[in-house]
Amino acid sequence: MSHGGMGGEALSRILYVEDDHDVRKVATFALKMVGGFTVEPCESGEQALEKAEGFAPQLLLLDVMMPGMDGPTTLERLRALPAIAGVPAIFMTAKVQPQEVARYRALGTLDVISKPFDPMTLSTMVRTIWAKRDD
C-alpha cells in the first residue's frame, strides 16, 4: 500500500473526543449508525491519549472547548505520538469565527465542523472533508 496518493483510502476508524456526554452519545451514534464508522469515543484529552495508539485511528475528531486539556492541546499531544503524528484531524466547535478557523487550520486540521451539528448529515460532512484532504 503506497502512501503517495491516499485519496482512495476509505475512512472507517475515528477517534472522537468530546467532554459533553449527550453530544458524545449523539455524535457517536450518528457516526456509527448513519456513517458506518468504527468510533472510539473519549470524554477527555487524557483518555484520547490513552486510547489513541491502540485504536490506530485514521481520523481525529476533536471538540475544541473542553475542561482541562482543550482540543488544540489534545491534538498537539496526540501528534507527539509517533503512530498518530500523521493522522488528519477535524475540530468541532460552537465558535466558528473565520480567524478561529484559520488558527485551527494552522494547527494542522483539515477543517472545522460547527456545533450544533445535524446527526443525519454529520457522517457526510466528515466524509466530504476526508475526501478533500489531499487537495
Side-chain angles (χ1 to χ4, degrees):
M1 186 177 143
S2 77
H3 280 286
M6 282 170 43
E9 189 190 358
L11 174 63
S12 63
R13 303 173 67 77
I14 300 174
L15 183 80
Y16 173 48
V17 193
E18 162 65 67
D19 65 290
D20 183 299
H21 175 76
D22 295 330
V23 175
R24 191 171 64 247
K25 220 164 58 172
V26 169
T28 300
F29 181 80
L31 292 166
K32 284 182 173 176
M33 302 312 292
V34 182
F37 295 117
T38 302
V39 183
E40 181 69 74
C42 302
E43 60 188 357
S44 66
E46 289 84 357
Q47 195 176 45
L49 287 167
E50 285 166 23
K51 293 183 170 185
E53 287 179 297
F55 179 65
Q58 293 167 284
L59 178 69
L60 310 170
L61 187 56
L62 306 163
D63 182 39
V64 172
M65 304 290 288
M66 295 187 290
M69 217 189 293
D70 66 1
T73 307
T74 301
L75 179 59
E76 203 180 331
R77 298 271 188 87
L78 285 168
R79 289 267 165 84
L81 304 170
I84 308 296
V87 177
I90 298 173
F91 276 140
M92 292 180 78
T93 179
K95 292 190 353 197
V96 194
Q97 281 90 6
Q99 69 272 21
E100 293 278 306
V101 174
R103 187 167 74 88
Y104 302 146
R105 286 234 172 94
L107 293 171
T109 58
L110 298 174
D111 211 336
V112 176
I113 292 175
S114 59
K115 294 158 74 173
F117 54 86
D118 177 350
M120 297 316 291
T121 58
L122 178 61
S123 296
T124 308
M125 289 168 75
V126 167
R127 273 213 176 85
T128 303
I129 295 168
W130 169 263
K132 290 189 303 201
R133 74 194 183 287
D134 287 332
D135 291 358

